[in-house]
Structures are given as C-alpha cells and as structure tokens.
Amino acid sequence: MQAIQQLRRFPAQQPLLFMLLAAVTWFLLYRSLIPASEALVAALPVERDSHLGGALQFFFYDTPKVLLLLTGIVFVMGIVHTFISPERTRAMLSGKRLGVGNAMAASLGIVTPFCSCSAVPLFIGFLQAGVPLGVTFSFLISAPMVNEVALIMLFGLFGWKVAVLYLVMGLLIAIFAGMLIGKLNMENYLEDWVRQMQNTQAAGNVGASAMPWAERIQHGFQHVREIVGKVWPYIVAGVGLGALIHGFVPEDFMASFMGKDAWWAVPAAVVLGVPMYTNAAGVIPIVQALLAKGAALGTVLAFMMSVIALSAPEMIILRKVLKPRLIATFVGVVATGILLVGYVFNLVL
C-alpha cells in the first residue's frame, strides 16, 4: 500500500523525471503495436489473410494506436491549457481588424485546447469582449476542424504531407469563411440576449501563470480523464467501422462511390458527414480505411471536415445564440469551402 501511495506522489515529487519516463513508455508502447496486433490475430482461430483476419488486425492495431495518440496529445494540451486561458484568448482577439483578426483567430484555434462543445460559452465570451463576429467564426471553425488532435493523428497515420495539406486548407476555410461572414454584417441575426451582452466587457486574469509544474501535470491528467474518458467509446466505434470497411467492403465499391470519377462523390460525402456525431479521433480511423479501399483523398477529407466542422449536434448548440439565417449562412459558407477543398485535392492528387 505504501509503495502505491509513493507511486501516486511520484509525478508531483519529480515532475520532469516523470515526463521523461512517460514519454519513453509511450514511445515503446507505440512501437509494439504492430507485433502485438499480429500476435493477437495469430492466437485466434482465424486465417490472417481472410476478411475477418484483416478486420481483426486492423481493429487490434488501430484502437490502441488512436487511443495512444489521443492520450498523448490531450495530456500535452492539458498542460498547454495552464498557459493559455480563455480570458487570454479573448484579449488577444479583441480589437483586431478584419483579415488580420481572422488569420490570428484561425491560427490560434490550432493550439488552443477548446473543443466544439465549448462553442457556446466561447462565442458569448468573444462577443462580450468586443471580438468581431467574423473573427469569432474564424476561431470557431478552426478550433474543432484544424485542432491539434486532428493534425497529430493525420501525421501519425498518413505522413506529414497530408497533415500539412489539411492544415493549410483548413486554415484557408476558417479565414475566408470568417471574413465573408464579417463582410455580410449579420450581427442582427444574433439572438437578442447575446447582443444585449455585447456592451459588457469580459474581465479575466491575462497575466502569466506561476503554477508549479507538478500542478500542470495534474491538470494534464484531468484533461485526459475529461476528454479521453468521454470520447473513447466513439473511438472504438469509429475503429470498428473502419475495420469492417477495411476487411469486408470491396475496393471497387468504395472506388466507385468515393472515387475521383464520380462528380457527385464530394457533395455526397459532405451531406453524409453532417448528421454524424464524432470528433477527429473517431473519424480518422474511418478515413484511413476508406483511403485503403481506393476512395479519393479529396472526397475523404471533405467527409472528415464536414463531420468535424458541420455536425448537427454543434448546430443545435449554436442555435442557442444564433438565429436560423446566420446558422444557414455559416453552414453554407463552410460547406462551400469544404467542397472546394475536396475537388481541388481530387484534381491535383
């Protein structure tokens, strides 16, 4: 019992040593995923080259892989969260001109650990601090769609080229969609109670934090419990669906449905993605399986972007602060950008 208590106190007593050991352990676990998944399939009464064997190997490999990637990046971003507060974010964005503010807001969305479930309080806080409507939308588009989880997992699964292309196109959508919404002067389509709050300036501590590293590490653990604890069922479901696609769906079917030659594939992928409720961690295994079956990269990325940035649950939440016309404008502008990304990727790759 005493040994267990000492182990629990270890991160607080030796925070830097704990970080080093945790990084080494994470790396060793990550490197062991392929042989471990193959060993698990070999221990089962199935043929490795069969459809079921391929699906099981995909599931045994990708489930811990996605969970490891998600846990690692969420832990790091939980520590980052102790340096970047919502109040500091609002202070950085308020008073910025159209264009400059949109680029800054979209870039800030990449490194700020806010998910789409935080859209409503962040939206209110930004408006309350005097952040222009279009600038706020640039942040709200970028934060869930071009977030650190999506980028790290795209890099880990597909390489740096796909991750960079996704980053660039996602930022362009966030910047130009926010600029267009700002140009339309649609502040009157905020709900009345939100507009009444705009004259009240948000107050917050934007000074540098003096939090000790032991406390930052505890915050990282809390971030993992809150986020990974909520999304792991969606990850397992997403990997499971990806495994079924990988093992049982014929390549010709996926190529015909989501290939470059089907002009309607990109808009169909966007429409299919909107009602889905998942996040980057849950949808990327599906993306991986679709690409392996011959689906076009642009079509698959359009599907992924629509799932993350235009999900129906997020629209329901935003309805609390936006009137239907502004929501429709937001969906239309972002969907147009996603369609453009899909067609451009299919054309050049």
Side-chain angles (χ1 to χ4, degrees), residues 10 15 44 60 80 98 104 118 156 158 178 181 190 197 228 238-239 245 258 273 284-285 291 327 346:
F10 176 64
L44 297 174
F60 291 150
V80 172
L98 186 67
M104 181 180 293
S118 303
F158 305 118
I181 292 174
L190 296 169
M197 294 179 61
V228 180
V239 175
I245 294 172
M258 300 186 77
I284 284 179
L291 290 175
I327 292 180
N346 285 346

Side-chain angles (χ1 to χ4, degrees), residues 2-47:
Q2 186 176 1
I4 296 176
Q5 292 177 349
Q6 290 178 348
L7 186 62
R8 289 178 176 176
R9 291 195 296 265
F10 176 64
Q13 294 173 342
Q14 300 289 339
L16 297 182
L17 180 59
F18 167 79
M19 294 281 286
L20 176 62
L21 292 176
V24 171
T25 302
W26 186 97
F27 178 76
L28 292 176
L29 287 173
Y30 191 84
R31 291 294 299 269
S32 68
L33 291 178
I34 292 179
S37 63
E38 293 290 353
L40 282 172
V41 175
L44 297 174
V46 297
E47 292 291 333

Side-chain angles (χ1 to χ4, degrees), residues 222-247:
Q222 180 182 350
H223 212 55
V224 169
R225 286 193 296 268
E226 290 177 352
I227 296 179
V228 180
K230 290 178 181 177
V231 306
W232 73 263
Y234 300 103
I235 293 174
V236 174
V239 175
L241 179 58
L244 291 175
I245 294 172
H246 181 82

Side-chain angles (χ1 to χ4, degrees), residues 8 36 42 54 57 81 103 109 118 173 218 283 289 298 309 332:
R8 289 178 176 176
Q57 193 279 334
H81 193 205
S118 303
I173 291 176
Q218 291 301 319
V283 76

Side-chain angles (χ1 to χ4, degrees), residues 251-260 262 264-266 268-269 272 290 295 299:
E251 292 186 14
D252 292 341
F253 173 77
M254 294 310 305
S256 63
F257 177 69
M258 300 186 77
K260 294 182 180 180
W264 45 265
V266 176
L272 181 64
L290 291 173
T299 306

